[in-house]
Amino acid sequence: MTEPSKGSTWNGAEMTQTDMMEKDTVLVLDHDDKVTGSASKRASHEFTPAQPRGILHRAFSVFLFDESTGELLLQQRASTKITFPNVWTNTCCSHPLHGMEPPEVDRPEAVADGTVTGVKNAAIRKLYHELGIPANELPIEGFKFLTRLHYWAADTVTHGEKSPWGEHEIDYVLFFCVSDKSKITVKGHPDEVDDVKWVTKDKLLEMFEDKSLLFSPWFRIIAKRWMVNEGGWWDDLKTTMTTSKHCDFKNVHRFDPPKEHLGGSGDAGPLFEKVGDQSKKQGAYGKVKTHTESKMQQLKHLDEVFSAVILLYVKPLKSNMKTDFIRKTFNRDDLKFCDEILVKVSRSFAAVIRQLPASLLVDIMIFYLALRALDTIEDDTTAFASHEEKINELKNFRKNALGNPNWSMDGVGEADEKRLLQEFPRAHRVYAALNPKSREIIDDITQRMADGMAEYVGKDLGQGTRDISEYNRYCHFVAGLVGEGLSRLFGQSGLEDESFAKELFLSDQMGLFLQKTNIIRDYLEDYVDGRAFWPQSVWKRYSTTGDLGYFANQESAEVRVKSLECLNELITDALELVPDCLKYLSKIKCVEIFRFCAIPQVMAIATLTKCYANPDVFTGVVKIRKGMSCKLILRTNTNDEVHETFYVFAKAIANTALSQRQAGVVDPSFKRTIKVCETICEGTEAAYSRQVQARRLPMLACLVLVFLSFGWISLPNLPSLPKVALWGAGILIYMYGPDFLKARSALTEAYRLKKKTL
């Protein structure tokens, strides 16, 4: 078999499988599909402890159809293939190579406009090599480039759990149609192909169900994500081939492999998300390393351990889900579904929503679930064939999901978010039983948020938002509007003044503070996902390469310095929202609403403190200790408690900034950071002092009881008491002593002021 491409030095007929593994030079890529170098086919496909997923490189997958029958040509890879032998797959799968003529390397401009002539040249070369289809039967203009997927898979089915081989590719999907299969020559190369088969969509679905057949992981991903679903690429080949409806040249869609292809010699786990972990939220976990402290570190903070015990077993957040009002107002089964799915899609918010007063609880729960469903649509970067289709779904979400009791959506999202969309009619029935004012608010915020999300669908966010203004605008749409909706729901509930519904500025600031904290913390996760939000007007002042991924290279001393300078500026920007957040909290009268609003706020200030000047932000996701979370939750009952928390963390950030300055670190944001920390501390210092005083005596009493229980001290005329009684008394004093003393102090202060007035 002679290679037909003029000028090519590559001849597959004269090369063995081993020759091609050693001599073929594939295009090595960065995460954004930019060519950064080359490697042998062998080196790129080796899975080892040093490179557990091989080397990311460029590939293509050709799907050849018979227009007259709608059939797709499949091939079964030869049993002699080194990687993925015997599997059924699409018509042809291989790699563009360096040094070919005609060239097979595409520049970014060719990808952006969809021409990708290099990939198409490679496809023509390999279709002849593998299947004997001559180049004159494959005019280059007949290839349709649709999209790219970034996937990886260890060849564990062939080589076992510790397989030394696998694939890690950004794969270009190409369609090609012939008027009739009789118009092309198909003669498989025995070293490449064991069998070929023309199949309809229904036949392929049957083959997928046949457990005796093996399929390549990349083919399964492409087929099930885009081709065999109703309205997919295969249903209307004419539209697919002649329009841009299904083309996406901008995004690289990213997939982990099916479970059986995890592992390999490097024990590689999920790269983009946790596969099969149905308890985790869509797209939020498992993409990158999570930095958590060890259990030993947690045990060093005994006050947090004690707080965790109290929150879990002694003084948990009370749930009002089973009150008479809720049981009589809403359908029991539908309400049970909403409650269960709430826990699944948001563990952190479920408990604080459940503790709300019964007259408000379900309104907030449905508000959250509606926005979670909307967010699931916005988050899914692979379910929609085009930006236009996704924008249409977002803009019509309120009309469809909240206006149609039978609306549901399948094939979007993962795990429990997917289930929420699939079973949304159950949430709609609870929504329909809410009072009209609540429904009106939920409708309005949902539509405005959907419009805002749609505005960002077509934007290239691979390098973050354009500037601070766009950064703030995005945060407003996805979080500030939530704050507005909550304020309006609080106001109409009767639990807060009606004027609360007009606190739009402070509501927005609250939302921005939370969203900016998440964006700062999730730098690497968002960058890996290809949708980042750090403003370019900030980070480009610190990145010498002009790329947002610059900061992830923490092996460079220069990068370590610049990355922390950038991080600290963004944290300072977020901290400047704190005074308005505290002002908002001070206006709340209902304890349960106060706690509902305060808990996320104290978690945010704790997270920012953990992130400040912390290089771990650039190598994973930073998390605060679980024990600290419990301690913070317990201390969100009053303004004084929340003010103390903000004082402590603002002081900690200021101390870190000062210690760095003393160590010779020149941080461009230093003065601005110190100024905002001083502002926060000035506004919260009085509350901090009251809290310290109120805890001093109870803590001393607890220590006395502990010493008594172990016999380290004894008091005259005190009868001997069992340890359990002494410890129980200590817990009660720890829990309620500060509140008693603070109440007594407040009464004393009121009496003093009254006497002074008289």
Side-chain angles (χ1 to χ4, degrees):
M1 187 176 292
T2 304
E3 174 62 38
S5 300
K6 294 180 180 180
S8 172
T9 58
W10 189 92
N11 192 333
E14 299 176 358
M15 300 171 72
T16 66
Q17 292 292 316
T18 301
D19 286 339
M20 283 184 276
M21 292 294 277
E22 298 289 351
K23 297 178 181 179
D24 281 359
T25 306
V26 300
L27 316 183
V28 174
L29 308 172
D30 67 9
H31 188 81
D32 295 318
D33 192 29
K34 295 176 183 175
V35 178
T36 60
S38 63
S40 70
K41 189 175 176 184
R42 169 182 286 278
S44 63
H45 288 76
E46 285 181 325
F47 277 36
T48 67
Q51 53 176 47
R53 297 183 187 87
I55 299 173
L56 179 61
H57 56 279
R58 188 169 289 171
F60 62 83
S61 289
V62 177
F63 293 74
L64 195 154
F65 294 90
D66 179 341
E67 281 184 334
S68 65
T69 62
E71 292 175 306
L72 168 66
L73 179 61
L74 302 184
Q75 69 155 278
Q76 184 181 32
R77 287 164 65 90
S79 59
T80 54
K81 297 282 283 186
I82 294 174
T83 61
F84 297 96
N86 301 309
V87 303
W88 284 95
T89 191
N90 48 285
T91 312
C92 179
C93 333
S94 192
H95 313 88
L97 302 178
H98 272 290
M100 299 300 295
E101 184 59 39
E104 297 179 359
V105 181
D106 287 302
R107 296 176 63 83
E109 308 88 77
V111 179
D113 63 24
T115 54
V116 293
T117 305
V119 167
K120 293 175 182 178
N121 286 333
I124 293 170
R125 172 175 59 82
K126 285 299 290 184
L127 281 164
Y128 181 78
H129 173 231
E130 292 187 3
L131 295 167
I133 305 175
N136 60 10
E137 295 180 5
L138 299 167
I140 195 167
E141 62 271 13
F143 287 89
K144 180 78 169 186
F145 169 46
L146 292 168
T147 194
R148 296 169 289 170
L149 66 147
H150 176 179
Y151 80 95
W152 70 278
D155 191 5
T156 51
V157 174
T158 305
H159 297 284
E161 184 180 350
K162 298 294 184 181
S163 170
W165 302 107
E167 288 284 7
H168 189 184
E169 304 174 331
I170 292 182
D171 193 9
Y172 285 55
V173 181
L174 303 174
F175 271 29
F176 191 97
C177 288
V178 293
S179 58
D180 187 281
K181 64 176 68 70
S182 63
K183 300 295 177 74
I184 63 165
T185 305
V186 178
K187 185 178 180 181
H189 191 303
D191 286 344
E192 296 288 335
V193 178
D194 273 355
D195 197 3
V196 294
K197 186 188 296 283
W198 290 93
V199 298
T200 62
K201 186 173 83 169
D202 289 341
K203 178 60 178 178
L204 179 61
L205 291 173
E206 287 181 18
M207 292 175 68
F208 279 151
E209 295 298 319
D210 187 342
K211 303 302 182 185
S212 67
L213 299 178
L214 299 176
F215 288 89
S216 70
W218 61 89
F219 177 47
R220 275 194 284 174
I221 290 170
I222 296 169
K224 293 187 176 181
R225 176 60 71 174
W226 290 302
M227 291 179 56
V228 299
N229 49 310
E230 186 176 350
W233 297 347
W234 201 342
D235 276 356
D236 188 354
L237 281 173
K238 184 176 180 180
T239 299
T240 302
M241 295 300 295
T242 60
T243 74
S244 61
K245 178 180 179 181
H246 300 305
C247 296
D248 182 2
F249 307 148
K250 182 175 292 185
N251 296 302
V252 178
H253 304 279
R254 307 186 195 277
F255 303 90
D256 280 307
K259 291 181 183 178
E260 62 268 26
H261 289 293
L262 296 170
S265 183
D267 291 322
L271 177 62
F272 306 116
E273 59 184 321
K274 287 193 174 180
V275 175
D277 189 347
Q278 299 298 304
S279 69
K280 301 301 183 187
K281 290 166 58 179
Q282 166 187 318
Y285 295 85
K287 295 176 186 174
V288 298
K289 179 181 179 181
T290 298
H291 293 291
T292 55
E293 296 184 33
S294 66
K295 291 181 179 179
M296 185 58 67
Q297 283 294 112
Q298 177 64 83
L299 290 173
K300 291 180 180 179
H301 300 269
L302 293 178
D303 58 332
E304 295 176 5
V305 175
F306 194 37
S307 295
V309 173
I310 291 174
L311 184 62
L312 291 173
Y313 303 108
V314 182
K315 198 178 180 181
L317 293 178
K318 178 186 175 183
S319 173
N320 291 315
M321 280 296 297
K322 295 182 179 180
T323 57
D324 288 342
F325 170 77
I326 290 177
R327 286 189 297 175
K328 292 176 181 178
T329 306
F330 304 98
N331 177 275
R332 182 179 64 181
D333 292 337
D334 292 332
L335 191 67
K336 182 180 179 182
F337 165 78
C338 291
D339 187 37
E340 289 177 351
I341 204 73
L342 175 69
V343 176
K344 297 289 187 180
V345 300
S346 179
R347 293 181 175 184
S348 58
F349 272 105
V352 292
I353 290 176
R354 285 170 165 173
Q355 60 87 49
L356 285 166
S359 60
L360 184 63
L361 192 164
V362 180
D363 308 58
I364 301 295
M365 178 173 69
I366 294 300
F367 183 41
Y368 180 86
L369 291 179
L371 298 185
R372 181 67 254 176
L374 176 66
D375 194 49
T376 299
I377 296 173
E378 194 239 1
D379 277 348
D380 198 319
T381 59
T382 62
F384 303 99
S386 66
H387 290 322
E388 291 74 19
E389 182 182 341
K390 186 173 186 177
I391 289 170
N392 183 62
E393 291 292 348
L394 289 170
K395 284 182 169 291
N396 288 292
F397 177 82
R398 185 205 61 77
K399 181 178 72 174
N400 293 334
L402 301 181
N404 180 357
N406 299 313
W407 178 88
S408 65
M409 178 176 278
D410 196 13
V412 176
E414 301 290 342
D416 292 298
E417 276 84 0
K418 181 177 182 179
R419 183 185 168 211
L420 172 60
L421 289 172
Q422 290 171 328
E423 301 184 46
F424 200 81
R426 302 175 73 176
H428 184 279
R429 288 192 287 271
V430 178
Y431 159 82
L434 297 175
N435 71 70
K437 289 184 178 179
S438 290
R439 294 202 304 271
E440 181 183 343
I441 294 167
I442 294 171
D443 277 16
D444 177 50
I445 297 298
T446 300
Q447 185 62 59
R448 289 163 61 194
M449 182 179 288
D451 290 341
M453 289 176 169
E455 180 181 315
Y456 282 80
V457 167
K459 292 187 177 182
D460 182 2
L461 292 173
Q463 294 293 313
T465 50
R466 185 179 62 253
D467 50 29
I468 287 290
S469 176
E470 188 176 58
Y471 176 47
N472 289 340
R473 183 170 174 79
Y474 176 80
C475 292
H476 165 73
F477 282 133
V478 299
L481 284 175
V482 178
E484 177 185 330
L486 290 171
S487 293
R488 290 166 62 184
L489 287 170
F490 298 159
Q492 71 85 28
S493 70
L495 296 166
E496 300 292 342
D497 293 337
E498 289 186 11
S499 62
F500 215 80
K502 298 179 181 179
E503 291 291 352
L504 304 187
F505 174 75
L506 295 181
S507 302
D508 192 60
Q509 299 296 86
M510 288 263 291
L512 262 62
F513 181 61
L514 300 181
Q515 188 64 25
K516 286 187 175 185
T517 298
N518 290 337
I519 287 172
I520 291 166
R521 180 198 62 192
D522 295 340
Y523 156 79
L524 187 60
E525 193 169 71
D526 287 341
Y527 178 72
V528 167
D529 200 34
R531 275 185 96 238
F533 305 98
W534 281 28
Q536 294 179 31
S537 61
V538 174
W539 68 255
K540 281 190 174 180
R541 296 203 305 271
Y542 302 98
S543 170
T544 60
T545 64
D547 186 271
L548 182 56
Y550 165 83
F551 304 113
N553 180 23
Q554 290 292 302
E555 294 179 2
S556 164
E558 178 193 59
V559 172
R560 287 197 298 273
V561 172
K562 294 295 183 182
S563 61
L564 292 184
E565 289 176 355
C566 181
L567 173 65
N568 292 348
E569 179 173 344
L570 289 173
I571 289 176
T572 301
D573 170 73
L575 288 172
E576 288 169 344
L577 298 165
V578 167
D580 286 330
C581 296
L582 296 177
K583 189 181 297 183
Y584 180 94
L585 291 173
S586 69
K587 294 176 178 289
I588 300 174
K589 296 178 180 178
C590 175
V591 173
E592 293 85 358
I593 292 177
F594 179 85
R595 189 181 298 119
F596 170 81
C597 294
I599 288 174
Q601 296 289 313
V602 296
M603 296 297 181
I605 187 67
T607 300
L608 289 179
T609 306
K610 181 82 171 176
C611 290
Y612 186 79
N614 186 352
D616 286 348
V617 171
F618 301 98
T619 58
V621 177
V622 173
K623 299 278 189 178
I624 61 175
R625 293 184 300 274
K626 291 182 179 179
M628 177 182 285
S629 297
C630 294
K631 180 179 178 180
L632 294 175
I633 290 172
L634 287 174
R635 301 192 57 73
T636 52
N637 302 292
T638 66
N639 262 304
D640 269 13
E641 289 180 347
V642 172
H643 279 213
E644 181 199 17
T645 296
F646 274 86
Y647 178 90
V648 168
F649 285 120
K651 202 74 173 176
I653 291 174
N655 288 339
T656 301
L658 288 167
S659 64
Q660 286 197 317
R661 172 56 66 95
Q662 291 169 358
V665 175
V666 180
D667 187 340
S669 302
F670 173 77
K671 290 183 179 179
R672 186 178 163 196
T673 304
I674 294 299
K675 181 180 178 181
V676 69
C677 287
E678 287 177 346
T679 300
I680 295 170
C681 289
E682 286 169 5
T684 56
E685 187 171 14
Y688 169 77
S689 298
R690 288 193 293 269
Q691 290 291 304
V692 171
Q693 291 174 7
R695 279 199 304 276
R696 193 168 290 155
L697 187 58
M699 287 299 295
L700 180 60
C702 286
L703 285 174
V704 170
L705 290 173
V706 169
F707 289 171
L708 283 171
S709 69
F710 286 101
W712 295 339
I713 63 171
S714 60
L715 297 177
N717 304 319
L718 182 70
S720 178
L721 294 172
K723 288 184 180 180
V724 173
L726 292 170
W727 290 348
I731 291 173
L732 290 173
I733 291 172
Y734 178 85
M735 287 172 54
Y736 299 110
D739 291 337
F740 171 77
L741 289 175
K742 281 180 286 184
R744 184 169 178 272
S745 175
L747 289 171
T748 302
E749 180 67 10
Y751 176 76
R752 186 187 67 78
L753 290 173
K754 182 178 179 181
K755 186 175 181 181
K756 183 178 179 181
T757 304
L758 293 174

